[in-house]
Amino acid sequence: MSTFKDLLSDMVAANRILASQGVCDAFGHISVRNPDNPNAYLLSCARAPQLVEREDIMEFALDGTPMHGDTRKPFLERFIHGALYAERADVHCVIHSHSRSVIPFTVTPAQLRPVVHSCATIGHAVPVWDAQTSFGDTNLLIANEAMGRDFASVMGEGNSALMRGHGSTVVGASIREAVYTAVYLEVNASLQIAASGLGPITFLTEGEVEIIQSRLADAKPGEGYDRAWEYWCRQAGVEPCQPGGEG
Ligand SMILES: [Zn+2]
């Protein structure tokens, strides 16, 4: 049975993994929906993911307002998280990053699509949100609810979306699933760039993506997302909770 204590431990572990796997550097963030209150989410105060401790984790209403009178500095781009939780009842974890290999796909016509089976959870084709389309000249960051909602509409029902000249965001039904997709979004981008120099690419078909996604969703404890999670925890120097512990 998962507990709130396990959830906070997994949040800290997820932050360390995202830093260790090169998804986040000094910037980027991960949130989880509060399992006891679907209209709230947990997200650390503004600091580099590698440094996040459980005491840093704050709680926010879906409109981005800090709860419990918390006055610590929040992430400016927390509106990404609230908008996705508001729009998507199936989403329980959101990860935003500026990981480098995806950026070329935000500023060129090349579309990010899965080239290897392990990257199928990114979705058959990854959409790109451009702040310019609805908001004109901005600093490209999602700094209010309107921008968050606009971004969520571009992601639609998918697991990932890119932001032009900025970065990417992935979602999942659990922390482990979202971390998996965030790591493999970056891996796929790097492999797709490498493959594109060799000739025309044969991408996974839509049917292949669906089969792989359902196999992962049906994986037993210790398999799939859990197996990757345990490995990445060790690489990041944190002790993993039991498989499925974060619920
Ligand atoms: Zn950002």
Side-chain angles (χ1 to χ4, degrees):
M1 181 66 75
S2 63
T3 65
F4 204 74
K5 198 174 154 193
D6 291 336
L7 187 72
L8 293 179
S9 295
D10 276 0
M11 278 288 280
V12 171
N15 273 280
R16 303 284 168 82
I17 288 170
L18 293 170
S20 158
Q21 295 300 314
V23 175
C24 294
D25 47 19
F27 303 94
H29 25 90
I30 173 172
S31 69
V32 63
R33 194 193 292 269
N34 185 340
D36 299 323
N37 177 5
N39 294 317
Y41 62 94
L42 308 174
L43 171 70
S44 80
C45 61
R47 70 183 311 199
Q50 175 70 41
L51 308 179
V52 167
E53 303 288 351
R54 54 199 301 146
E55 295 75 21
D56 295 320
I57 295 170
M58 303 170 64
E59 187 170 8
F60 296 89
L62 298 191
D63 67 0
T65 306
M67 296 171 67
H68 317 297
D70 202 326
T71 56
R72 287 176 290 178
K73 182 176 170 48
F75 286 112
L76 175 67
E77 291 197 281
R78 62 191 180 282
F79 301 100
I80 298 168
H81 302 261
L84 288 165
Y85 292 127
E87 293 294 325
R88 298 270 303 270
D90 60 316
V91 168
H92 293 274
C93 181
V94 176
I95 298 170
H96 170 62
S97 83
H98 307 152
S99 74
R100 294 175 188 177
S101 301
V102 306
I103 301 300
F105 296 94
T106 76
V107 293
T108 64
Q111 189 169 35
L112 185 56
R113 294 174 59 189
V115 295
V116 59
H117 69 96
S118 53
C119 299
T121 64
I122 68 174
H124 180 244
V126 181
V128 180
W129 176 79
D130 188 342
Q132 188 68 230
T133 306
S134 299
F135 301 96
D137 288 340
T138 66
N139 63 4
L140 301 181
L141 305 182
I142 294 186
N144 56 54
E145 276 191 280
M147 295 180 86
R149 282 196 297 269
D150 196 55
F151 173 73
S153 74
V154 168
M155 179 181 279
E157 297 302 309
N159 291 338
S160 59
L162 312 185
M163 291 103 149
R164 195 265 299 169
H166 175 187
S168 62
T169 295
V170 306
V171 299
S174 69
I175 292 175
R176 289 166 198 213
E177 182 182 328
V179 166
Y180 182 97
T181 300
V183 171
Y184 279 115
L185 185 76
E186 174 64 14
V187 167
N188 195 88
S190 175
L191 290 173
Q192 189 173 335
I193 291 167
S196 66
L198 302 177
I201 298 174
T202 302
F203 294 100
L204 269 64
T205 67
E206 205 159 354
E208 288 168 343
V209 168
E210 282 176 19
I211 289 169
I212 295 165
Q213 286 188 353
S214 19
R215 186 167 179 268
L216 276 165
D218 294 339
K220 295 182 176 67
E223 297 177 350
Y225 302 130
D226 284 348
R227 182 164 154 186
W229 175 264
E230 186 176 29
Y231 172 66
W232 288 329
C233 277
R234 293 295 163 89
Q235 282 203 316
V238 294
E239 195 60 34
C241 290
Q242 289 304 304
E246 120 273 331

